[in-house]
Amino acid sequence: MAKLQLNPNETMVGSGQMSLYLKQGLSRKPFQGNIFVTNQRVCFKISMMPGDPDMNLTLEEIKGFSVKKVLFMTQVTIYSKTGEPYPLTGFPAKKLQGWLRQVGVQEL
């Protein structure tokens, strides 16, 4: 699993492999990677892509999250305060909800 460079006084709450659905033209396509939830931010890093995280939101930049079933999968969507949705699916979807609540992100 990829590693996240932590900031001073930042601690990892949880992480796992998930898919982030990014807008590609008129539709959204899944990109495999890793979600990281810390006491300061939520990040997603696409696998096989070096560099900065593809989603890097401080807790203050997050409006909340929603949960829905898509076919047989649970989808957790994180919303930034600017209205940008970040839909995620994968095995740790239920754990992700707990990690977000643990750091104070509200379910919408």
Side-chain angles (χ1 to χ4, degrees):
M1 183 187 308
K3 297 230 180 224
L4 177 68
Q5 183 68 39
L6 296 176
N7 295 324
N9 301 318
E10 186 175 25
T11 57
M12 186 67 64
V13 174
S15 65
Q17 292 184 343
M18 296 191 83
S19 292
L20 174 65
Y21 290 76
L22 295 175
K23 194 161 187 157
Q24 298 282 303
L26 297 175
S27 64
R28 289 188 176 271
K29 294 187 180 177
F31 289 87
Q32 292 268 347
N34 296 291
I35 187 83
F36 302 95
V37 179
T38 74
N39 64 332
Q40 296 179 9
R41 60 190 167 143
V42 178
C43 302
F44 185 87
K45 186 144 182 47
I46 294 176
S47 299
M48 310 301 282
M49 296 287 284
D52 293 332
D54 301 283
M55 176 184 77
N56 191 7
L57 298 171
T58 64
L59 297 179
E60 293 78 27
E61 294 174 311
I62 299 174
K63 179 180 180 180
F65 73 96
S66 66
V67 180
K68 72 177 183 177
K69 291 283 187 189
V70 178
L71 298 175
F72 58 91
M73 298 182 297
T74 300
Q75 178 177 297
V76 177
T77 303
I78 298 171
Y79 296 93
S80 71
K81 287 190 175 174
T82 61
E84 185 70 27
Y86 295 94
L88 298 142
T89 60
F91 176 71
K94 291 191 189 293
K95 288 183 179 181
L96 175 58
Q97 296 169 56
W99 299 332
L100 292 170
R101 287 185 185 102
Q102 186 177 335
V103 297
V105 177
Q106 299 293 316
E107 186 171 354
L108 302 174

